[in-house]
């Protein structure tokens, strides 16, 4: 099991659930704290100075666990369930750019917020999402990248709130290039039992965001991370656990307390 944390790339103008600001300084801090990897929070992949970022991260001996794409919905309004065909087309093209970026960085692409908040029927939204994701998996498959489908809680999206929906969609899509990822903050709201949910989806589970019940660093709320880490160990999970957390009391303290707490449980 390897530990990562969200860091925004230099072109991002808003605070992510992780570190923001001077990119070089943040990458140095993360390496110093003992993290294995960085999860890159990228806005427009076209605006990222890729080679610089890559050199900096590799220079610190860190991996790039995944690429977060949420800004493409929250800032750019691109959604897979939009009733507007042009918006969906642009959303697919945007993910294709992220997949190319991930291929360059030997990383994977998270699909969370870009599922959108639909205002049509569930069935229409499902079909639109499935069609878009099928197209994205073709590019992902060609480039050897995984798409990580993340269930979000009901206040952030109204489709794929649970692992069971995510697994059903993945099975319908029928591609090896799409997998499910968890986020303990969302799972705490939506799933009956976080550990059982992960066990049941063991064959599809490819990534995990960790945040406590209040979305702060693990250990600062009331989620049972001891049980979660035990479950991950028992199912032989050897992938990334990535801190996606509020900068409370500030981002440096949050980053430090997350790694210390998680290392204490491994
Ligand atoms: Mn998440």
């Amino acid at each position: 099991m390897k530990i990562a944390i969200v860091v925004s790339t230099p072109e991002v103008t808003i605070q992510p659930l992780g570190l923001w600001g001077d990119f070089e300084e943040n990458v140095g801090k993360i390496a110093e704290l003992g993290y294995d990897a960085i999860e890159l929070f990228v806005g427009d992949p076209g605006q990222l100075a890729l080679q610089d970022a890559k050199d900096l991260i590799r220079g610190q001996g860190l991996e790039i666990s995944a690429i977060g794409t949420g800004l493409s919905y929250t800032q750019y309004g691109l959604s897979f369930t939009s009733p507007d065909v042009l918006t969906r087309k642009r959303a697919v093209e945007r993910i294709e750019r992220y997949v190319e970026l991930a291929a360059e960085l030997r990383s994977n692409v998270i699909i969370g917020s870009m599922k959108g908040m639909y205002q049509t029927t569930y069935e229409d939204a499902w079909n639109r999402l499935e069609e878009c994701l099928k197209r994205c998996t073709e590019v992902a498959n060609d480039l050897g990248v995984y798409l990580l489908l993340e269930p979000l809680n009901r206040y952030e999206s109204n489709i794929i709130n649970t692992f069971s929906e995510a697994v059903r969609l993945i099975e319908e899509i029928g591609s090896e290039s799409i997998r499910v990822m968890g986020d303990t903050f969302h799972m705490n709201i939506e799933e009956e039992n976080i550990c059982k949910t992960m066990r049941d989806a063991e064959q599809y589970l490819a990534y995990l965001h960790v945040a406590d019940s209040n979305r702060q660093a693990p250990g600062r709320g009331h989620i049972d991370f001891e049980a979660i880490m035990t479950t991950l160990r028992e199912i032989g999970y050897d992938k990334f656990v990535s801190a996606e957390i509020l900068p409370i009391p500030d981002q440096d303290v949050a980053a430090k307390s997350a790694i210390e707490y998680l290392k204490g449980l491994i």
Side-chain angles (χ1 to χ4, degrees), residues 71-96 98 113-120 128-129 131-133 135-136:
L71 274 180
S72 287
Y73 175 67
T74 57
Q75 193 174 1
Y76 297 89
L78 302 177
S79 154
F80 289 148
T81 56
S82 168
D84 176 36
V85 66
L86 190 61
T87 301
R88 296 202 301 278
K89 183 171 177 279
R90 288 174 56 221
V92 169
E93 287 166 358
R94 177 60 71 95
I95 288 296
E96 288 172 353
Y98 282 116
S113 299
M114 283 188 72
K115 295 189 290 299
M117 227 359 153
Y118 70 87
Q119 285 162 350
T120 56
R128 285 170 180 152
L129 177 60
E131 191 196 321
C132 288
L133 286 177
R135 286 165 57 199
C136 295

Side-chain angles (χ1 to χ4, degrees), residues 216 220 246-254 257:
Q216 294 185 39
R220 298 177 67 95
L246 287 166
I248 294 177
D250 63 55
Q251 62 178 24
D252 293 339
V253 172
S257 76

